[in-house]
Amino acid sequence: MAKVDAEPYEFDFEPKRCALVIIDMQRDFVDPGGFGEALGNDVSLLRKAIAPTKKVLDAARKRNMLVIHTREGHRQDLSDLPQSKKLRGKLKAGIGDPGPMGRILVRGEYGHDIVDELKPAPGEPVVDKPGKGAFYATDLDSMLHNRGIRQLVVCGVTTEVCVNTSVREANDRGYDCLVLEDCVGSYFPEFQVAALNMIKAQGGIFGWVSDSKRFLAGLAQA
Ligand code: TIU
């Protein structure tokens, strides 16, 4: 059993029953010159999650933990793109339109793929999701269930959008989630703080919050 110092209290987990889930570390959200930056966002706020996430990823691989990567995006023909999502924001260049790194949030495009630093290793499942939550319209729950996974360590972007939505979905499905605060990022510093507080408040209403250092220390001692 591994024990991680966390809020609101210690997170105990068995590495073989726990998966590392890395949410949407895609070039279009995180890399300079991507869609996120084209929208006027400061991507350095997201990029700083890459290095600590890489350390967590390396440690999880060494311990043979299940590692799952997600990507937000849509089919080339956009048949899985709700009209509401297409229209939202009244953007000049929105989902499916040409962007700086290919068609925006379309599967198979360069900008849709995961950043080089966190590239999935052969055999690591990549979940392509059409929504913000990693469980909606995906086979993630089956994959976790079939491997006997009950707990998730969560990294990725953005903290208040896809990370929060996925943690809430996981929580309602009976998974314990540990979110590592230096391995998640938001374009809005105030949302980063609030989104993490929302998870751990009220006795851990959606889960636990810790950081990469405390997670790595706990895993090393298991
Ligand atoms: N992955 C994810 O969070 N998708 C978003 O749309 N995030 C925003 O912050 N917009």
Side-chain angles (χ1 to χ4, degrees):
M1 191 68 99
K3 294 176 183 298
V4 179
D5 181 43
E7 293 86 43
Y9 53 88
E10 184 180 82
F11 182 80
D12 298 338
F13 72 100
E14 258 185 274
K16 67 170 189 292
R17 306 256 289 161
C18 183
L20 172 63
V21 180
I22 304 179
I23 307 278
D24 300 3
M25 286 296 236
Q26 295 161 256
R27 296 187 180 108
D28 257 335
F29 291 131
V30 173
D31 274 355
F35 176 54
E37 193 175 70
L39 289 176
N41 296 302
D42 175 4
V43 293
S44 71
L45 293 169
L46 268 54
R47 289 199 66 75
K48 66 184 184 189
I50 294 175
T53 301
K54 181 70 169 72
K55 285 188 189 162
V56 168
L57 175 59
D58 289 343
R61 284 173 174 161
K62 264 200 198 117
R63 290 301 296 259
N64 290 317
M65 281 174 62
L66 175 64
V67 176
I68 296 185
H69 307 259
T70 74
R71 299 183 296 202
E72 179 180 354
H74 297 275
R75 292 171 179 265
Q76 293 269 341
D77 65 5
L78 306 183
S79 56
D80 60 349
L81 174 63
Q83 191 70 353
S84 59
K85 189 175 180 184
K86 172 71 185 165
L87 297 176
R88 192 72 50 79
K90 300 183 175 175
L91 301 172
K92 275 204 185 79
I95 297 168
D97 296 330
M101 294 185 179
R103 291 177 70 205
I104 294 159
L105 291 192
V106 171
R107 295 175 194 158
E109 299 290 335
Y110 185 75
H112 169 265
D113 209 355
I114 293 167
V115 296
D116 293 335
E117 297 92 325
L118 302 173
K119 193 180 163 68
E124 290 174 356
V126 177
V127 172
D128 277 320
K129 61 188 187 64
K132 303 305 181 195
F135 289 83
Y136 170 68
T138 72
D139 53 7
L140 176 59
D141 195 37
S142 307
M143 283 198 282
L144 298 172
H145 179 82
N146 293 339
R147 305 239 200 164
I149 301 291
R150 299 306 321 154
Q151 296 180 300
L152 310 178
V153 175
V154 183
C155 302
V157 298
T158 62
T159 314
E160 76 280 15
V161 184
C162 294
V163 171
N164 239 267
T165 305
S166 300
V167 165
R168 289 168 189 232
E169 286 182 327
N171 185 61
D172 277 348
R173 286 164 176 78
Y175 299 96
D176 290 329
C177 293
L178 173 68
V179 179
L180 303 179
E181 63 186 15
D182 53 336
C183 300
V184 294
S186 169
Y187 299 124
F188 306 93
E190 67 275 28
F191 290 174
Q192 172 80 0
V193 173
L196 292 167
N197 283 341
M198 282 178 201
I199 290 166
K200 66 186 177 186
Q202 301 183 68
I205 194 125
F206 297 123
W208 285 255
V209 175
S210 185
D211 55 46
S212 60
K213 238 174 129 172
R214 288 186 286 167
F215 172 74
L216 293 169
L219 189 61
Q221 281 175 5

